[in-house]
Amino acid sequence: MTAPPSTNHTSGHLLARNTIWNLTGMGTPLLAALFSIPILVATLGAERFGILTLAWMVIGYFSLFDLGLGRALTKLVAEKLGAGQAKAIPPLVWAAMSLMLALGLTAALIVILISPWLTQSALKIPHALQEETLRSFYLLALSIPVVISTAGLRGILEAQQRFGMVNALRIPMGLLTFLGPLLVLPFSHSLVAITAVLVAFRVVAWLAHLLLCFKVMPTLRTNVSIRRRDIRPLLHLGGWMTVTNIVGPLMVYLDRFLIGSLVSMAAVAYYVTPYEVVTKFLLIPGALVAVLFPAFSASFASDQKHAAALFQRGVKYTFLILFPLILATITFAHEGLGLWLNSAFATNGTKVLQWLAVGVFLNSLANIPFAFIQGAGRPDLTAKLHLIELPFYLLTLWWLLHTWGIVGAAVAWATRAAIDALALFVLATHLISGVEKREAFKLDTMVIIATLFVFGIGAILTGPGIKISFLVVTLLTFTAATWFLFLSQQERLLINATLHGKMGSFKQQ
């Protein structure tokens, strides 16, 4: 007997496989970044590299400014699939793509108009680099419609759990984002040439996504139509998601713009480089959330218990995977930056890296309730939360940046992440009815407090020997606690069976 559509799209095996696909697709470019960033810093210089990081931000994240239509499209397509209404999908898709194209063109015009002000007044860009930066910003503006509509095409594939296809494109595009500038360096150090190459890669990616969508859903080619009744739910969900998609990135990325305007572009490099390193850990919850969001959308209304179980496992696995990685990063922040880059980055960036690592850990946990709330059809809750947070964060960021410099900016970022995580978990618990189900959402407060205390110890230790001893003892204790306290009996049996199966296969060889 064939499983219902909702079951097919939320089965544990499928979600696990797609999470691995996402981790591979999102993590592979990290290797390219680790290789290319030191070369780019040394070749371009701190100021030109600081400007390049802004270009990366626009290229990589401007899809967030799509009025929430990409995420709304993913949710609605997943709902249609879960309800067995595949015939209703093509008009929905074309309605969303038309809206996203119009939005992209509008955003491109706005960026073109404000680019002179950004390069000449808002950012502390050296006079010698202003013309070069301005032309680069114009190129980035032209790429915005492509970037935004690509997010919509990717959302169609994700709603159908086609993450193998998604990552077959994500891997080469992620690699080229960092390796592309290296390909330009033998011919030119101009930011214009580097930006042109990055934009060209994005156009190719858009075309590839479109062809894959036609392959997965041939009816998209034959049923090119727009129904007015599809526009309202897209705008309703997307409208609230827009607030989050605008306010959220402002709180995530505004720090570097304030540093550039209040301090210097060199300070941006000292801040952004540790930031780019530690935020790569967000790939882990990001890979999981990308899979869970359509699963939450498909299952929340019909099987709330299953949705709650998915939530619980998502939080637990995120915590267990990230704790050792974040602890090692905090403990060896100074040594790592010095070995990877140079002593100047180690001196200026160690405290920044440590504070941002704490914020990334808390933000990673918050990704799960964030996706759950939006998958449950309540993006208004996340939007209202971020609207409340924004003014307080801006005041805190401004004050701490003036008081402690870039370290203060990192403290403000981590504090915002902590408050945001707490609020999202509280909101998520209220979407599930029943005391028993709500209990499944609660991550022990004492565990979080103990975790932050351990992070604090790792941050103040000195000497390689002491740090290594601390890390080994802590991770051994953590492993024991994970096995006996955090994992269920079924999970322990599954791990044992997997390990024994691999060992038996090794012995046969």
Side-chain angles (χ1 to χ4, degrees):
M1 180 180 295
T2 304
S6 60
T7 302
N8 287 335
H9 287 86
T10 62
S11 67
H13 175 73
L14 178 64
L15 298 180
R17 185 185 68 188
N18 287 337
T19 300
I20 294 173
W21 264 116
N22 278 348
L23 283 172
T24 303
M26 296 177 180
T28 301
L30 176 59
L31 300 177
L34 292 172
F35 170 75
S36 63
I37 286 178
I39 299 175
L40 291 170
V41 170
T43 306
L44 298 177
E47 291 176 331
R48 189 177 260 109
F49 177 74
I51 298 170
L52 177 59
T53 63
L54 299 181
W56 276 339
M57 185 198 72
V58 174
I59 285 289
Y61 299 104
F62 219 103
S63 59
L64 296 173
F65 296 90
D66 65 348
L67 284 184
L69 292 172
R71 199 166 178 87
L73 181 60
T74 301
K75 172 177 169 49
L76 293 174
V77 170
E79 282 186 350
K80 298 295 184 185
L81 291 171
Q85 300 174 0
K87 292 182 179 180
I89 293 177
L92 179 66
V93 168
W94 289 118
M97 296 303 296
S98 300
L99 292 171
M100 294 174 79
L101 177 61
L103 175 65
L105 294 173
T106 303
L109 178 61
I110 292 173
V111 172
I112 289 173
L113 293 175
I114 68 172
S115 289
W117 171 74
L118 286 174
T119 56
Q120 297 168 14
S121 302
L123 301 174
K124 288 190 175 182
I125 297 175
H127 182 75
L129 295 177
Q130 286 183 3
E131 181 62 27
E132 184 179 334
T133 304
L134 178 60
R135 293 166 63 191
S136 299
F137 278 22
Y138 285 154
L139 282 174
L140 291 172
L142 296 177
S143 73
I144 291 173
V146 174
V147 173
I148 288 179
S149 56
T150 300
L153 296 172
R154 183 170 58 249
I156 298 169
L157 298 174
E158 290 181 349
Q160 301 184 71
Q161 295 289 340
R162 297 296 186 116
F163 288 93
M165 292 182 174
V166 169
N167 287 286
L169 297 177
R170 177 179 283 145
I171 291 174
M173 292 311 304
L175 291 174
L176 290 172
T177 296
F178 294 102
L179 296 180
L182 295 184
L183 299 176
V184 178
L185 291 183
F187 309 98
S188 172
H189 292 179
S190 170
L191 289 171
V192 178
I194 292 174
T195 304
V197 169
L198 293 176
V199 171
F201 290 155
R202 290 295 163 173
V203 173
V204 173
W206 176 86
L207 181 60
H209 278 88
L210 180 64
L211 294 176
L212 282 181
C213 286
F214 285 161
K215 179 180 179 180
V216 170
M217 296 190 66
T219 54
L220 290 177
R221 288 179 294 183
T222 58
N223 186 6
V224 181
S225 61
I226 298 175
R227 297 182 307 191
R228 293 182 60 182
R229 66 175 181 268
D230 288 327
I231 295 177
R232 182 174 180 179
L234 282 167
L235 292 178
H236 174 72
L237 287 172
W240 283 113
M241 290 178 179
T242 298
V243 178
T244 296
N245 288 349
I246 293 177
V247 177
L250 275 178
M251 293 190 290
V252 172
Y253 301 115
L254 189 61
D255 45 9
R256 63 191 69 186
F257 283 99
L258 284 179
I259 293 169
S261 61
L262 298 177
V263 188
S264 67
M265 292 309 298
V268 172
Y270 288 133
Y271 181 86
V272 171
T273 302
Y275 177 93
E276 289 295 332
V277 172
V278 74
T279 53
K280 290 298 181 289
F281 289 133
L282 290 172
L283 298 177
I284 295 172
L288 182 58
V289 161
V291 176
L292 287 178
F293 175 68
F296 288 147
S297 300
S299 65
F300 180 81
S302 59
D303 192 352
Q304 204 173 85
K305 183 177 180 180
H306 180 60
L310 290 175
F311 182 102
Q312 182 188 28
R313 289 198 294 269
V315 173
K316 179 168 66 174
Y317 296 153
T318 300
F319 175 84
L320 295 180
I321 293 171
L322 278 180
F323 173 81
L325 298 175
I326 296 296
L327 179 61
T329 299
I330 291 174
T331 304
F332 290 98
H334 187 272
E335 291 83 356
L337 286 174
L339 181 63
W340 181 44
L341 295 171
N342 53 51
S343 59
F345 272 87
T347 300
N348 290 282
T350 294
K351 293 299 180 183
V352 171
L353 178 57
Q354 290 172 331
W355 276 104
L356 289 177
V358 174
V360 164
F361 177 77
L362 296 171
N363 187 255
S364 297
L365 296 177
N367 267 253
I368 309 300
F370 179 86
F372 181 85
I373 292 168
Q374 292 202 336
R378 294 299 308 272
D380 59 306
L381 295 179
T382 56
K384 293 171 184 176
L385 172 62
H386 286 160
L387 283 174
I388 294 171
E389 289 178 359
L390 179 60
F392 294 101
Y393 172 62
L394 292 180
L395 290 174
T396 303
L397 175 61
W398 185 276
W399 174 56
L400 290 178
L401 186 57
H402 277 286
T403 305
W404 292 339
I406 59 175
V407 175
V411 172
W413 198 92
T415 302
R416 181 205 61 82
I419 295 172
D420 187 63
L422 176 63
L424 286 171
F425 272 98
V426 171
L427 290 173
T429 61
H430 285 83
L431 291 180
I432 289 292
S433 59
V435 177
E436 297 81 5
K437 293 178 182 178
R438 289 189 181 185
E439 287 296 325
F441 283 71
K442 293 182 180 178
L443 188 64
D444 194 336
T445 304
M446 294 305 297
V447 173
I448 297 298
I449 293 175
T451 298
L452 297 178
F453 178 74
V454 172
F455 288 164
I457 295 176
I460 63 176
L461 291 178
T462 58
I466 295 176
K467 290 184 176 183
I468 292 173
S469 300
F470 166 76
L471 191 63
V472 169
V473 171
T474 303
L475 292 183
L476 287 175
T477 304
F478 172 74
T479 301
T482 297
W483 185 258
F484 292 107
L485 299 178
F486 293 121
L487 296 180
S488 66
Q489 182 179 3
Q490 182 180 5
E491 289 167 334
R492 290 196 294 268
L493 290 173
L494 179 61
I495 292 174
N496 277 328
T498 302
L499 292 176
H500 288 158
K502 289 184 178 180
M503 291 176 62
S505 176
F506 178 77
K507 291 178 179 179
Q508 289 177 3
Q509 293 176 2

